[in-house]
Amino acid sequence: MSRENVLVSAEWAEQNLDAEGVVFVEVDEDTAAYDTGHIPGAIKIDWKQDLQDPVRRDFVDREGFEKLLSAKGISNDNTVILYGGNNNWFAAYAYWYFKLYGHADVKLLDGGRKKWELDGRPLDKDDVQRTGTSYSAAEPDTSLRAFRREVEDSIGKKNYVDVRSPDEFSGKLAAPAHLPQEQAQRPGHIPGALNVPWSKAANEDGTFKKDEELRELYKAEGLDESKATIAYCRIGERSSHTWFVLRELLGYSDVKNYDGSWTEYGSLVGVPIELGAGKK
Amino acid sequence: MSSCGAPAQTATLPANIDPGKEVVLSGRVLSSGAPVGGAFVRLLDSDGEFTAEVVSSEGGDFRFFAAPGSWTVRALHRSGNGEVSVSADGPGLHTLEVAVS
């Protein structure tokens, strides 16, 4: 896997805003940012409304994904460029969905909205309409997604990369520091997990660090390259960012995102939990 | 399931937050005394490691829920960057101003 196949720079994006077959998609949990100004021509996908099942804790099924993309005017042969706020978490999460459902050509905008705004690149408020399509999705590729049974069964056998902040990992905090802390589940981490916060893979402006730096980072933290890897966080967004780094940028073959993450694992009865700082 | 996305930043605390129980770091991003909205405000721990990030509101407001300790709040904006340090010994509301230039 090479970086050019999965990532585009802000510069490239600005030069290709009107390119044939290229669709820019802003993905956020809260689309208020999109409404105050978006990349010219970009459509929006609402992480919560569009990508989550409204009743069960799961994401949209194959049929729902087909319906969504058809309505948004995205074709199977389009090059989809995803970007968003929150350092591209939701865009990375959407990227993972696009891969799960077999979209051939999907990329992230390096640095997302942040880099674009810090560069002072153009944003507009134009209403963007695309003609509907008839999108066809593949069966979800479960080799990219970990479920709780596998997570319980693989302790000690696979790499676990816990991408939350050190205080969440150790059990000091139950949620990221920009959120209130009251939570139902027990704090801590999966025994043996490495704590490599997602943010270590990114520069201050939201772009990804260089491949060599990234490879060195995970190696130094104790990632065993001969083993399969499961990435998790609190609910699976921040870990999508790290899943993207490990599988798409660094090319490790067996990397799954555990989107149940800590809000599921930390609520399970009887599973082992480790407290305290990470070991190297 | 509520996500990990940063909520809209407001000057007043949400009703369900008790600053007597949490360490709340709250403040504004300013440039020559005027509020700066749309700045990327990053909370860094005592080792300078990233902990959280929010986008300042139109009035320049931001807020973090942290643990006791030493923190740096760093703001990035296309007009410039700036940072301020704070030491929080225990629960309570800490009010900060971060100047960018």
Side-chain angles (χ1 to χ4, degrees):
Chain A
M1 186 62 67
S2 92
R3 190 166 269 241
E4 297 74 53
N5 296 332
V6 296
L7 202 61
V8 300
S9 67
E11 191 182 11
W12 181 94
E14 193 173 350
Q15 287 163 359
N16 286 275
L17 291 179
D18 302 315
E20 184 71 28
V22 177
V23 186
F24 287 85
V25 184
E26 178 161 333
V27 190
D28 263 312
E29 174 201 25
D30 167 3
T31 54
Y34 177 93
D35 299 333
T36 62
H38 53 77
I39 291 182
I43 55 171
K44 67 173 167 185
I45 286 183
D46 185 316
W47 177 81
K48 199 165 204 166
Q49 302 296 330
D50 294 334
L51 296 177
Q52 303 300 315
D53 185 289
V55 179
R56 301 181 309 134
R57 184 179 174 197
D58 206 343
F59 49 71
V60 287
D61 59 14
R62 179 183 174 181
E63 202 185 9
F65 192 75
E66 288 179 335
K67 221 182 196 171
L68 173 70
L69 267 60
S70 300
K72 294 284 177 187
I74 296 173
S75 310
N76 286 80
D77 58 358
N78 282 151
T79 296
V80 175
I81 311 292
L82 301 168
Y83 76 97
N86 285 294
N87 289 284
N88 264 345
W89 292 345
F90 297 95
Y93 198 91
Y95 179 101
W96 178 63
Y97 280 20
F98 274 76
K99 283 288 176 190
L100 274 163
Y101 285 122
H103 191 84
D105 193 5
V106 54
K107 298 173 189 192
L108 278 185
L109 170 61
D110 201 12
R113 254 195 100 96
K114 178 154 77 169
K115 171 75 174 151
W116 190 269
E117 287 185 22
L118 290 174
D119 286 354
R121 295 181 193 273
L123 295 166
D124 70 30
K125 294 181 188 177
D126 293 356
D127 187 28
V128 180
Q129 296 291 348
R130 296 180 58 86
T131 314
T133 60
S134 177
Y135 190 90
S136 122
E139 277 300 321
D141 179 355
T142 49
S143 74
L144 308 181
R145 188 183 195 194
F147 291 94
R148 66 173 177 273
R149 198 145 299 153
E150 179 182 0
V151 170
E152 285 183 57
D153 292 346
S154 304
I155 293 174
K157 298 175 197 146
K158 293 186 179 183
N159 296 303
Y160 285 81
V161 180
D162 184 320
V163 315
R164 296 174 299 161
S165 61
D167 282 350
E168 292 174 85
F169 181 87
S170 69
K172 206 164 153 191
L173 291 183
H178 59 263
L179 295 177
Q181 297 296 320
E182 193 189 329
Q183 304 289 335
Q185 71 274 8
R186 295 301 177 96
H189 57 265
I190 298 174
L194 311 172
N195 182 209
V196 192
W198 69 273
S199 55
K200 284 186 185 275
N203 297 306
E204 183 176 78
D205 64 4
T207 56
F208 289 103
K209 287 184 179 165
K210 294 193 184 82
D211 287 355
E212 313 82 75
E213 290 177 84
L214 292 170
R215 204 174 292 278
E216 199 41 53
L217 164 69
Y218 294 101
K219 234 187 221 172
E221 296 290 344
L223 187 86
D224 182 342
E225 293 184 324
S226 68
K227 288 183 182 169
T229 299
I230 294 174
Y232 74 94
C233 59
R234 191 176 77 100
I235 65 165
E237 301 149 3
R238 288 176 286 174
S239 53
S240 303
H241 187 275
T242 294
W243 172 86
F244 180 88
V245 171
L246 292 171
R247 187 176 184 277
E248 303 299 281
L249 292 180
L250 297 181
Y252 294 123
S253 56
D254 190 353
V255 184
K256 290 182 180 179
N257 184 27
Y258 171 38
D259 59 311
S261 273
W262 196 256
T263 50
E264 176 173 84
Y265 191 91
S267 302
L268 294 174
V269 175
V271 295
I273 288 179
E274 200 168 72
L275 293 171
K279 301 178 201 71
K280 281 189 195 175
Chain B
M1 184 58 54
S2 65
S3 82
C4 292
Q9 300 293 296
T10 52
T12 49
L13 281 179
N16 60 332
I17 300 305
D18 179 356
K21 291 185 182 155
E22 296 199 40
V23 177
V24 183
L25 309 178
S26 183
R28 286 201 305 163
V29 182
L30 302 169
S31 174
S32 308
V36 176
F40 299 92
V41 188
R42 296 163 68 81
L43 179 67
L44 311 176
D45 71 13
S46 54
D47 297 324
E49 285 295 338
F50 173 92
T51 304
E53 180 179 300
V54 298
V55 177
S56 64
S57 73
E58 213 169 301
D61 306 300
F62 63 83
R63 181 189 311 124
F64 296 106
F65 303 92
S70 299
W71 301 96
T72 297
V73 176
R74 178 166 166 77
L76 311 178
H77 189 256
R78 60 179 178 278
S79 67
N81 304 331
E83 61 185 54
V84 66
S85 294
V86 57
S87 183
D89 296 332
L93 178 64
H94 300 261
T95 308
L96 310 167
E97 285 189 352
V98 186
V100 293
S101 59

